[in-house]
């Protein structure tokens, strides 16, 4: 599958950081950092995942100023509408031109009891509304010790893809839980090994064509100093970046990985 070219995707998951005013400042700063560096917009797709309360503001800004960033949400409801206090429908996200939604982040699995079944139902909800799910999978430190790196993420992805159409547009993010926010990223070799197995899951659960087209991201302590190593791997097609996506210059350097490291 090494010959298939997939447009790299660099995604910034802001988590619960930045109100809508701070969001404007960061998006503008990031855009100007890339402009100053004469960044080639066509070389990599950039997607931002602000909190729900920032989405309308960021959408208006990127629309008005023609900023080439895609917009995504960090979660959505399994339901489309109704008496579900506090939930946000995929229909509303689609109206905001959200192209992506993160589903099954380990923080939601851990703090909000999201099971593999809930994750699967959210994947279906996103696809119903024409939004590309960014399906997060990853093993904890205990899983790693007991089962190795791939077993848990592979199982999570198999479940998440149950009943999904063969030609569905999806993104997969491999985020080892032990690497998130720890400063201790996986090695490129480790990421490649699991991402390759996740691609095999897309092939067997959906189709060979979907597997060839699907971007598989690595996430967990990604920085400008380690991004290039991951993107050199044949089955790693981008990154899901947490902390480093909150700093405009650092995130711009990650987006420009092709330049500063000669991938
Ligand atoms: P960090 O980049 O802060 O480790 O977070 C990764 C992550 O969870 C992105 O979704």
């Amino acid at each position: 599958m090494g010959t298939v070219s997939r447009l790299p995707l660099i995604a910034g998951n802001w988590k619960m950081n930045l109100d809508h005013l701070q969001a404007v400042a960061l998006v503008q700063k990031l855009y100007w950092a890339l402009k100053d560096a004469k960044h080639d917009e066509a070389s990599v797709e950039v997607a931002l995942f602000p909190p729900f309360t920032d989405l309308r503001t960021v959408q208006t800004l990127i629309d008005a100023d023609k900023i080439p960033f895609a917009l995504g949400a960090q979660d959505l409801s399994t339901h489309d509408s109704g008496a579900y206090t506090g939930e946000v429908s995929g229909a509303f996200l689609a109206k905001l031109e959200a192209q992506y939604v993160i589903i099954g982040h380990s923080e939601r699995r851990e703090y909000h009891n999201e099971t593999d079944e809930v994750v699967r139902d959210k994947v279906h909800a996103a696809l119903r509304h024409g939004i590309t799910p960014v399906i997060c999978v990853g093993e904890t430190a205990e899983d790693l010790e007991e089962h190795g790196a791939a077993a848990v993420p592979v199982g999570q992805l198999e479940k998440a893809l149950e009943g999904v159409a063969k030609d569905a547009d999806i993104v997969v993010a491999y985020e080892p839980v032990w690497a998130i926010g720890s400063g201790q990223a996986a090695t490129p070799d480790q990421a490649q090994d699991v991402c390759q197995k996740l691609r095999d899951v897309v092939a067997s659960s959906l189709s060979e064509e979907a597997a060839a087209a699907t971007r598989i991201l690595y996430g967990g302590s990604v920085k400008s100093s380690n991004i290039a190593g991951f993107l050199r791997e044949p089955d790693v097609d981008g990154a899901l970046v947490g902390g480093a996506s909150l700093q405009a210059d650092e995130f711009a350097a990650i987006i420009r990985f092709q330049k500063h490291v000669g991938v």
Side-chain angles (χ1 to χ4, degrees), residues 13 15 102 105 107 175 179-182 219-222 240-244:
N13 174 11
K15 308 193 180 185
I102 292 173
H105 192 280
E107 288 149 18
E175 298 207 306
I180 295 176
S182 66
S221 296
V222 169
L240 183 53
V241 185

Side-chain angles (χ1 to χ4, degrees), residues 177-241:
V177 181
W178 49 267
I180 295 176
S182 66
Q184 193 206 334
T187 65
D189 271 3
Q190 287 173 318
Q192 165 58 25
D193 183 55
V194 178
C195 289
Q196 185 175 30
K197 293 187 168 100
L198 294 173
R199 197 173 302 285
D200 291 343
V201 173
V202 180
S204 55
S205 299
L206 302 187
S207 60
E208 288 290 345
E209 293 72 25
T214 295
R215 268 98 48 98
I216 303 185
L217 316 181
Y218 167 77
S221 296
V222 169
K223 307 181 272 239
S224 60
S225 58
N226 64 17
I227 180 74
F230 293 110
L231 271 292
R232 266 189 218 111
E233 298 294 339
D235 286 295
V236 181
D237 306 310
L240 183 53
V241 185

